[in-house]
Amino acid sequence: MSHNEPRQRRQNLGGTSAASPYFTSVGGGGMPSPPPPPPPPRANYQQYSTTGSVNSSTGSYGSNASSPYGSYGHAAAPSSPYAAAASTTPTTATTTTSHHSSEVKIHPRANINTQSSRGGGCSGGTVFVLWLLWTALLAGGAYYYETHLQGPHRQRQLDRMQSRHALELETLATERDRTQKSVVAQQVQRAVEQAEQRHRTALDEQRRAERESQKRATEWQIQVQKEQRANQQLQRELQELQSQSGGSGNGADVVALQRRIQEQSKKWVLQRYGPGPHRVEFEVRFPNEDNSWYIIVELAPLELMPHTTHVFLQQMEQGLFMQAKVSFHHNGPHMILAEPVPNFATPHELWHNEHDGEPNEQALADIFANSGYDQVLFQEYSPDYPHDKYTLGLSRRAFDDHHSGPGFYVNTQDNIASHGPGGYASDGTGDPCFGKIVNGQDIIERIHAASGVLQEGDWKAMEHGNIALMSVHYIHPR
């Protein structure tokens, strides 16, 4: 409303004014007319008209002008002034009673308030229920957002993070493997290069050693040839001296020559093997056996038996004891005899004739004879190295009682009286004794028992065949 409206309203209190929508004059006295009573609710309200008719479907309470409340229906009769008054906007209601009549103009805002007052307000329970529903709606929305929108989104983010993490780990593992492989490859390459270098060095050393060995072998062969020629020369000189002295080996010239032979032999052994002690290993094999047995023999000192030791080492150096060329073939009560005769391990071609294939047991002895060291040049003997038990002595030839070799024997008892000076030899000299068994005495006893029981004077072959002396090797001192 305008700012002049309160003044207008005060002016209307003193009289009737058609311009005021809120007041009307009652009897010209200026008193305000009471508002019309509010209509009851349509659902439970019935109004009887003066004519006794009820219109409950339209909410009309009669159609004549004699109704004290007028018409509140939606379809009043056209002749009714109440219906006409209800259909105007802004609403102007004319109420006629038995006391007075007044005309009230109702403002649209007043009409709205009237309509809201008909429906009533919301109670506290309704508000609480609505609040619960709203809270549940918000909770449900939050749950739906969390489970159907935010949860899958976070899961996808987590999956992506895990995928990136797994990819990073795989990349790191690949890089680590590549690095490790690279390191391993480098290490392998270095190891291969070092192995190749060691192999080349070993080959160079082997070639150098082979050249040195060939050189030494050549020098040794030259030395052996010189010694053979010297030995033959000494042998001829000795034979001439012995023939001049009537076969006696006791002449001054003969003794001097023998001492010269001993000095030459000692010099050769010292150059080749040093001062000693000198040890050799016998490899022995019995018939019907595949394994070998070993005997250690320590040779006589060079100060006592230089020439016999020299001859034996020369036989070993030239391989005369290799390929089982020597056999233990006979036993006596006091000794075991070993000579160059065939055994089960001797190669066939060594002792059979080439033209007819017939066995030739003398062929092995010829190999020794062709070497130039099949015998000693004289019967060397030292009373300080006698024929004790388990010592080795050179056997005399059956056709030459004055020379020993190449066969040897092992004393199985003390044989000083029989094999020393004044023993069984016709010239009264003793057999050369050149070594002693220091390990393998049990093998000697087994060889000695291979002929069975022996009585005094017996001379028996081995019951199961000759026992092979497979090889003889020098044992270098450590």
Short mmCIF file of all heavy atoms in Angstrom, two decimals, residues 290-339:
data_model
loop_
_atom_site.label_atom_id
_atom_site.label_comp_id
_atom_site.label_asym_id
_atom_site.label_seq_id
_atom_site.Cartn_x
_atom_site.Cartn_y
_atom_site.Cartn_z
N ASP A 290 93.76 -107.84 -12.25
CA ASP A 290 93.86 -106.59 -13.02
C ASP A 290 94.55 -105.47 -12.25
O ASP A 290 94.99 -104.49 -12.85
CB ASP A 290 92.44 -106.11 -13.42
CG ASP A 290 91.77 -107.09 -14.37
OD1 ASP A 290 92.49 -107.77 -15.13
OD2 ASP A 290 90.51 -107.18 -14.34
N ASN A 291 94.65 -105.61 -10.94
CA ASN A 291 95.27 -104.55 -10.14
C ASN A 291 96.76 -104.83 -9.97
O ASN A 291 97.21 -105.99 -10.04
CB ASN A 291 94.60 -104.44 -8.78
CG ASN A 291 94.62 -105.75 -8.02
OD1 ASN A 291 94.32 -106.79 -8.59
ND2 ASN A 291 94.98 -105.70 -6.74
N SER A 292 97.48 -103.76 -9.73
CA SER A 292 98.94 -103.85 -9.56
C SER A 292 99.31 -103.64 -8.10
O SER A 292 98.57 -103.02 -7.33
CB SER A 292 99.64 -102.80 -10.43
OG SER A 292 99.40 -103.04 -11.80
N TRP A 293 100.48 -104.16 -7.74
CA TRP A 293 101.03 -104.01 -6.41
C TRP A 293 102.40 -103.35 -6.55
O TRP A 293 103.06 -103.52 -7.57
CB TRP A 293 101.17 -105.37 -5.71
CG TRP A 293 99.85 -106.10 -5.64
CD1 TRP A 293 99.34 -106.92 -6.59
CD2 TRP A 293 98.91 -106.05 -4.59
NE1 TRP A 293 98.11 -107.41 -6.20
CE2 TRP A 293 97.82 -106.89 -4.96
CE3 TRP A 293 98.85 -105.40 -3.35
CZ2 TRP A 293 96.71 -107.08 -4.16
CZ3 TRP A 293 97.73 -105.60 -2.55
CH2 TRP A 293 96.68 -106.41 -2.95
N TYR A 294 102.82 -102.62 -5.51
CA TYR A 294 104.01 -101.78 -5.65
C TYR A 294 105.01 -102.08 -4.53
O TYR A 294 104.63 -102.28 -3.36
CB TYR A 294 103.62 -100.30 -5.62
CG TYR A 294 102.73 -99.93 -6.79
CD1 TYR A 294 101.34 -99.98 -6.68
CD2 TYR A 294 103.29 -99.58 -8.01
CE1 TYR A 294 100.54 -99.66 -7.76
CE2 TYR A 294 102.49 -99.25 -9.10
CZ TYR A 294 101.11 -99.31 -8.97
OH TYR A 294 100.31 -99.01 -10.04
N ILE A 295 106.26 -102.09 -4.95
CA ILE A 295 107.38 -102.35 -4.05
C ILE A 295 108.36 -101.19 -4.18
O ILE A 295 108.69 -100.78 -5.30
CB ILE A 295 108.08 -103.68 -4.39
CG1 ILE A 295 107.09 -104.84 -4.29
CG2 ILE A 295 109.29 -103.91 -3.50
CD1 ILE A 295 107.65 -106.16 -4.81
N ILE A 296 108.82 -100.65 -3.06
CA ILE A 296 109.78 -99.55 -3.05
C ILE A 296 111.16 -100.12 -2.72
O ILE A 296 111.34 -100.81 -1.69
CB ILE A 296 109.39 -98.46 -2.03
CG1 ILE A 296 107.95 -97.99 -2.28
CG2 ILE A 296 110.37 -97.29 -2.11
CD1 ILE A 296 107.73 -97.39 -3.65
N VAL A 297 112.12 -99.80 -3.60
CA VAL A 297 113.49 -100.26 -3.42
C VAL A 297 114.40 -99.05 -3.30
O VAL A 297 114.34 -98.14 -4.13
CB VAL A 297 113.94 -101.13 -4.61
CG1 VAL A 297 115.41 -101.54 -4.45
CG2 VAL A 297 113.05 -102.36 -4.73
N GLU A 298 115.22 -99.04 -2.27
CA GLU A 298 116.23 -98.00 -2.12
C GLU A 298 117.57 -98.55 -2.58
O GLU A 298 118.06 -99.58 -2.07
CB GLU A 298 116.31 -97.54 -0.67
CG GLU A 298 117.31 -96.41 -0.46
CD GLU A 298 117.31 -95.89 0.96
OE1 GLU A 298 116.20 -95.59 1.48
OE2 GLU A 298 118.40 -95.79 1.55
N LEU A 299 118.18 -97.90 -3.56
CA LEU A 299 119.43 -98.38 -4.14
C LEU A 299 120.60 -98.12 -3.19
O LEU A 299 120.53 -97.29 -2.29
CB LEU A 299 119.68 -97.70 -5.48
CG LEU A 299 118.59 -97.92 -6.55
CD1 LEU A 299 118.95 -97.19 -7.84
CD2 LEU A 299 118.36 -99.40 -6.82
N ALA A 300 121.66 -98.87 -3.43
CA ALA A 300 122.85 -98.79 -2.57
C ALA A 300 123.50 -97.42 -2.70
O ALA A 300 123.42 -96.76 -3.75
CB ALA A 300 123.85 -99.88 -2.96
N PRO A 301 124.15 -96.93 -1.68
CA PRO A 301 124.85 -95.63 -1.74
C PRO A 301 125.92 -95.64 -2.83
O PRO A 301 126.56 -96.66 -3.11
CB PRO A 301 125.44 -95.49 -0.35
CG PRO A 301 124.65 -96.40 0.51
CD PRO A 301 124.26 -97.55 -0.34
N LEU A 302 126.11 -94.47 -3.41
CA LEU A 302 127.11 -94.34 -4.48
C LEU A 302 128.52 -94.55 -3.95
O LEU A 302 129.43 -94.96 -4.70
CB LEU A 302 127.00 -92.96 -5.13
CG LEU A 302 125.72 -92.68 -5.92
CD1 LEU A 302 125.76 -91.26 -6.48
CD2 LEU A 302 125.53 -93.70 -7.02
N GLU A 303 128.77 -94.29 -2.69
CA GLU A 303 130.10 -94.49 -2.14
C GLU A 303 130.45 -95.97 -2.05
O GLU A 303 131.66 -96.32 -2.01
CB GLU A 303 130.19 -93.86 -0.74
CG GLU A 303 130.19 -92.34 -0.76
CD GLU A 303 128.79 -91.77 -0.96
OE1 GLU A 303 127.81 -92.57 -0.87
OE2 GLU A 303 128.64 -90.57 -1.21
N LEU A 304 129.42 -96.84 -2.01
CA LEU A 304 129.68 -98.27 -1.84
C LEU A 304 129.54 -99.06 -3.14
O LEU A 304 130.39 -99.91 -3.45
CB LEU A 304 128.74 -98.85 -0.78
CG LEU A 304 128.81 -98.22 0.61
CD1 LEU A 304 127.79 -98.85 1.53
CD2 LEU A 304 130.22 -98.34 1.19
N MET A 305 128.47 -98.79 -3.90
CA MET A 305 128.20 -99.58 -5.11
C MET A 305 127.85 -98.64 -6.27
O MET A 305 126.74 -98.71 -6.84
CB MET A 305 127.05 -100.55 -4.85
CG MET A 305 127.29 -101.55 -3.74
SD MET A 305 128.59 -102.75 -4.15
CE MET A 305 127.83 -103.65 -5.48
N PRO A 306 128.77 -97.79 -6.71
CA PRO A 306 128.42 -96.83 -7.76
C PRO A 306 128.20 -97.46 -9.13
O PRO A 306 127.28 -97.07 -9.86
CB PRO A 306 129.62 -95.88 -7.78
CG PRO A 306 130.76 -96.68 -7.26
CD PRO A 306 130.15 -97.61 -6.23
N HIS A 307 129.02 -98.48 -9.50
CA HIS A 307 128.92 -99.02 -10.85
C HIS A 307 127.64 -99.83 -11.03
O HIS A 307 126.94 -99.68 -12.03
CB HIS A 307 130.15 -99.89 -11.15
CG HIS A 307 130.10 -100.54 -12.50
ND1 HIS A 307 129.98 -99.83 -13.68
CD2 HIS A 307 130.17 -101.87 -12.86
CE1 HIS A 307 129.97 -100.64 -14.70
NE2 HIS A 307 130.07 -101.90 -14.22
N THR A 308 127.30 -100.69 -10.09
CA THR A 308 126.09 -101.51 -10.21
C THR A 308 124.84 -100.62 -10.17
O THR A 308 123.88 -100.85 -10.93
CB THR A 308 126.03 -102.55 -9.08
OG1 THR A 308 127.27 -103.27 -9.04
CG2 THR A 308 124.88 -103.50 -9.27
N THR A 309 124.87 -99.61 -9.33
CA THR A 309 123.73 -98.66 -9.29
C THR A 309 123.61 -97.94 -10.61
O THR A 309 122.50 -97.75 -11.13
CB THR A 309 123.94 -97.67 -8.14
OG1 THR A 309 124.04 -98.38 -6.90
CG2 THR A 309 122.79 -96.67 -8.07
N HIS A 310 124.74 -97.57 -11.19
CA HIS A 310 124.72 -96.88 -12.48
C HIS A 310 124.14 -97.78 -13.56
O HIS A 310 123.30 -97.35 -14.37
CB HIS A 310 126.16 -96.47 -12.85
CG HIS A 310 126.29 -95.95 -14.23
ND1 HIS A 310 127.42 -96.19 -14.99
CD2 HIS A 310 125.46 -95.22 -15.02
CE1 HIS A 310 127.28 -95.63 -16.18
NE2 HIS A 310 126.10 -95.03 -16.22
N VAL A 311 124.52 -99.03 -13.60
CA VAL A 311 124.02 -99.96 -14.63
C VAL A 311 122.52 -100.16 -14.47
O VAL A 311 121.77 -100.15 -15.46
CB VAL A 311 124.77 -101.30 -14.54
CG1 VAL A 311 124.11 -102.35 -15.44
CG2 VAL A 311 126.23 -101.12 -14.94
N PHE A 312 122.05 -100.34 -13.24
CA PHE A 312 120.60 -100.54 -13.04
C PHE A 312 119.81 -99.30 -13.46
O PHE A 312 118.76 -99.42 -14.11
CB PHE A 312 120.33 -100.90 -11.58
CG PHE A 312 118.88 -101.20 -11.30
CD1 PHE A 312 118.37 -102.46 -11.55
CD2 PHE A 312 118.01 -100.22 -10.80
CE1 PHE A 312 117.04 -102.75 -11.30
CE2 PHE A 312 116.68 -100.50 -10.55
CZ PHE A 312 116.19 -101.76 -10.80
N LEU A 313 120.29 -98.11 -13.09
CA LEU A 313 119.58 -96.89 -13.49
C LEU A 313 119.62 -96.68 -15.00
O LEU A 313 118.65 -96.17 -15.59
CB LEU A 313 120.20 -95.68 -12.77
CG LEU A 313 119.93 -95.60 -11.26
CD1 LEU A 313 120.68 -94.42 -10.64
CD2 LEU A 313 118.44 -95.47 -10.98
N GLN A 314 120.71 -97.11 -15.65
CA GLN A 314 120.76 -97.03 -17.11
C GLN A 314 119.74 -97.98 -17.73
O GLN A 314 119.08 -97.63 -18.72
CB GLN A 314 122.17 -97.38 -17.60
CG GLN A 314 123.16 -96.25 -17.52
CD GLN A 314 122.92 -95.20 -18.60
OE1 GLN A 314 121.95 -95.24 -19.34
NE2 GLN A 314 123.83 -94.24 -18.67
N GLN A 315 119.57 -99.15 -17.21
CA GLN A 315 118.54 -100.07 -17.71
C GLN A 315 117.14 -99.47 -17.56
O GLN A 315 116.30 -99.57 -18.46
CB GLN A 315 118.64 -101.40 -16.95
CG GLN A 315 119.90 -102.21 -17.25
CD GLN A 315 120.01 -103.42 -16.37
OE1 GLN A 315 119.29 -103.58 -15.37
NE2 GLN A 315 120.97 -104.32 -16.71
N MET A 316 116.90 -98.84 -16.40
CA MET A 316 115.60 -98.19 -16.19
C MET A 316 115.41 -97.03 -17.15
O MET A 316 114.32 -96.86 -17.72
CB MET A 316 115.51 -97.72 -14.73
CG MET A 316 114.19 -97.05 -14.37
SD MET A 316 114.33 -96.14 -12.81
CE MET A 316 115.42 -94.80 -13.29
N GLU A 317 116.47 -96.20 -17.34
CA GLU A 317 116.36 -95.03 -18.21
C GLU A 317 116.05 -95.43 -19.64
O GLU A 317 115.28 -94.76 -20.33
CB GLU A 317 117.67 -94.24 -18.17
CG GLU A 317 117.80 -93.33 -16.97
CD GLU A 317 116.91 -92.09 -17.07
OE1 GLU A 317 116.43 -91.80 -18.17
OE2 GLU A 317 116.70 -91.45 -16.03
N GLN A 318 116.59 -96.53 -20.10
CA GLN A 318 116.37 -96.95 -21.49
C GLN A 318 115.10 -97.76 -21.66
O GLN A 318 114.83 -98.26 -22.76
CB GLN A 318 117.59 -97.75 -21.97
CG GLN A 318 118.86 -96.93 -22.02
CD GLN A 318 120.00 -97.66 -22.70
OE1 GLN A 318 119.80 -98.48 -23.61
NE2 GLN A 318 121.23 -97.36 -22.30
N GLY A 319 114.29 -97.88 -20.62
CA GLY A 319 112.99 -98.54 -20.73
C GLY A 319 113.07 -100.04 -20.81
O GLY A 319 112.11 -100.69 -21.27
N LEU A 320 114.15 -100.63 -20.33
CA LEU A 320 114.29 -102.09 -20.42
C LEU A 320 113.35 -102.82 -19.45
O LEU A 320 113.09 -104.02 -19.65
CB LEU A 320 115.74 -102.49 -20.14
CG LEU A 320 116.78 -101.91 -21.12
CD1 LEU A 320 118.19 -102.37 -20.75
CD2 LEU A 320 116.45 -102.30 -22.55
N PHE A 321 112.85 -102.11 -18.43
CA PHE A 321 111.91 -102.74 -17.50
C PHE A 321 110.45 -102.42 -17.83
O PHE A 321 109.55 -102.85 -17.08
CB PHE A 321 112.22 -102.28 -16.06
CG PHE A 321 113.53 -102.75 -15.55
CD1 PHE A 321 114.57 -101.86 -15.34
CD2 PHE A 321 113.76 -104.09 -15.26
CE1 PHE A 321 115.80 -102.28 -14.85
CE2 PHE A 321 115.00 -104.52 -14.78
CZ PHE A 321 116.01 -103.61 -14.58
N MET A 322 110.21 -101.70 -18.90
CA MET A 322 108.85 -101.37 -19.29
C MET A 322 108.24 -102.51 -20.12
O MET A 322 108.96 -103.38 -20.62
CB MET A 322 108.83 -100.07 -20.09
CG MET A 322 109.45 -98.87 -19.36
SD MET A 322 108.63 -98.47 -17.80
CE MET A 322 107.08 -97.83 -18.44
N GLN A 323 106.90 -102.46 -20.24
CA GLN A 323 106.13 -103.42 -21.05
C GLN A 323 106.32 -104.86 -20.57
O GLN A 323 106.27 -105.81 -21.35
CB GLN A 323 106.53 -103.33 -22.52
CG GLN A 323 106.16 -102.00 -23.16
CD GLN A 323 106.53 -101.96 -24.63
OE1 GLN A 323 107.71 -102.12 -24.98
NE2 GLN A 323 105.54 -101.75 -25.48
N ALA A 324 106.52 -105.02 -19.29
CA ALA A 324 106.59 -106.35 -18.67
C ALA A 324 107.62 -107.25 -19.34
O ALA A 324 107.37 -108.43 -19.62
CB ALA A 324 105.20 -107.00 -18.71
N LYS A 325 108.80 -106.69 -19.60
CA LYS A 325 109.87 -107.49 -20.21
C LYS A 325 110.56 -108.42 -19.22
O LYS A 325 111.30 -109.33 -19.61
CB LYS A 325 110.92 -106.58 -20.85
CG LYS A 325 110.42 -105.70 -21.98
CD LYS A 325 111.57 -104.91 -22.58
CE LYS A 325 111.12 -103.97 -23.66
NZ LYS A 325 110.41 -102.79 -23.10
N VAL A 326 110.33 -108.18 -17.90
CA VAL A 326 110.97 -108.97 -16.85
C VAL A 326 109.90 -109.69 -16.05
O VAL A 326 108.82 -109.13 -15.79
CB VAL A 326 111.85 -108.08 -15.95
CG1 VAL A 326 112.45 -108.88 -14.80
CG2 VAL A 326 112.95 -107.41 -16.78
N SER A 327 110.21 -110.93 -15.64
CA SER A 327 109.24 -111.74 -14.88
C SER A 327 109.93 -112.34 -13.66
O SER A 327 111.13 -112.70 -13.70
CB SER A 327 108.70 -112.89 -15.74
OG SER A 327 108.07 -112.39 -16.90
N PHE A 328 109.16 -112.48 -12.57
CA PHE A 328 109.55 -113.33 -11.45
C PHE A 328 109.09 -114.74 -11.81
O PHE A 328 107.89 -115.02 -11.83
CB PHE A 328 108.90 -112.86 -10.14
CG PHE A 328 109.34 -111.50 -9.69
CD1 PHE A 328 108.58 -110.37 -9.98
CD2 PHE A 328 110.51 -111.35 -8.97
CE1 PHE A 328 108.98 -109.11 -9.55
CE2 PHE A 328 110.93 -110.09 -8.53
CZ PHE A 328 110.16 -108.97 -8.82
N HIS A 329 110.04 -115.63 -12.07
CA HIS A 329 109.62 -116.92 -12.66
C HIS A 329 110.04 -118.13 -11.85
O HIS A 329 109.49 -119.23 -12.05
CB HIS A 329 110.14 -117.04 -14.10
CG HIS A 329 111.62 -117.02 -14.22
ND1 HIS A 329 112.42 -118.16 -14.15
CD2 HIS A 329 112.48 -115.98 -14.39
CE1 HIS A 329 113.69 -117.82 -14.30
NE2 HIS A 329 113.75 -116.49 -14.44
N HIS A 330 111.03 -118.02 -10.95
CA HIS A 330 111.43 -119.17 -10.15
C HIS A 330 111.69 -118.75 -8.71
O HIS A 330 112.09 -117.62 -8.44
CB HIS A 330 112.71 -119.82 -10.72
CG HIS A 330 112.44 -120.84 -11.77
ND1 HIS A 330 112.12 -120.51 -13.07
CD2 HIS A 330 112.43 -122.21 -11.72
CE1 HIS A 330 111.94 -121.59 -13.78
NE2 HIS A 330 112.12 -122.65 -12.98
N ASN A 331 111.44 -119.73 -7.82
CA ASN A 331 111.68 -119.54 -6.39
C ASN A 331 112.59 -120.65 -5.87
O ASN A 331 112.47 -121.82 -6.26
CB ASN A 331 110.36 -119.59 -5.59
CG ASN A 331 109.62 -118.25 -5.62
OD1 ASN A 331 110.25 -117.20 -5.57
ND2 ASN A 331 108.29 -118.32 -5.70
N GLY A 332 113.49 -120.24 -5.00
CA GLY A 332 114.25 -121.20 -4.20
C GLY A 332 113.97 -120.95 -2.73
O GLY A 332 113.29 -119.97 -2.37
N PRO A 333 114.44 -121.78 -1.87
CA PRO A 333 114.17 -121.57 -0.44
C PRO A 333 114.73 -120.25 0.09
O PRO A 333 114.22 -119.73 1.09
CB PRO A 333 114.87 -122.77 0.22
CG PRO A 333 115.00 -123.78 -0.86
CD PRO A 333 115.19 -123.01 -2.13
N HIS A 334 115.73 -119.68 -0.58
CA HIS A 334 116.41 -118.50 -0.04
C HIS A 334 116.35 -117.29 -0.96
O HIS A 334 116.89 -116.24 -0.61
CB HIS A 334 117.89 -118.85 0.19
CG HIS A 334 118.61 -119.26 -1.05
ND1 HIS A 334 118.41 -120.47 -1.66
CD2 HIS A 334 119.53 -118.60 -1.80
CE1 HIS A 334 119.17 -120.56 -2.73
NE2 HIS A 334 119.87 -119.42 -2.83
N MET A 335 115.64 -117.39 -2.12
CA MET A 335 115.66 -116.28 -3.06
C MET A 335 114.51 -116.38 -4.06
O MET A 335 113.89 -117.44 -4.22
CB MET A 335 116.99 -116.24 -3.82
CG MET A 335 117.24 -117.49 -4.64
SD MET A 335 118.73 -117.40 -5.67
CE MET A 335 118.21 -116.23 -6.91
N ILE A 336 114.25 -115.23 -4.75
CA ILE A 336 113.28 -115.14 -5.85
C ILE A 336 114.05 -114.61 -7.05
O ILE A 336 114.70 -113.57 -6.96
CB ILE A 336 112.11 -114.20 -5.51
CG1 ILE A 336 111.41 -114.63 -4.23
CG2 ILE A 336 111.12 -114.12 -6.67
CD1 ILE A 336 110.39 -113.60 -3.73
N LEU A 337 113.96 -115.29 -8.19
CA LEU A 337 114.70 -114.91 -9.38
C LEU A 337 113.81 -114.15 -10.36
O LEU A 337 112.69 -114.57 -10.64
CB LEU A 337 115.29 -116.14 -10.07
CG LEU A 337 116.16 -115.87 -11.31
CD1 LEU A 337 117.37 -115.02 -10.94
CD2 LEU A 337 116.59 -117.19 -11.95
N ALA A 338 114.35 -113.03 -10.89
CA ALA A 338 113.66 -112.23 -11.91
C ALA A 338 114.60 -112.03 -13.08
O ALA A 338 115.75 -111.59 -12.90
CB ALA A 338 113.24 -110.88 -11.34
N GLU A 339 114.11 -112.34 -14.31
CA GLU A 339 114.93 -112.24 -15.52
C GLU A 339 114.06 -111.78 -16.69
O GLU A 339 112.81 -111.83 -16.61
CB GLU A 339 115.57 -113.59 -15.86
CG GLU A 339 116.65 -114.01 -14.89
CD GLU A 339 117.30 -115.32 -15.30
OE1 GLU A 339 116.56 -116.23 -15.76
OE2 GLU A 339 118.52 -115.44 -15.15
#
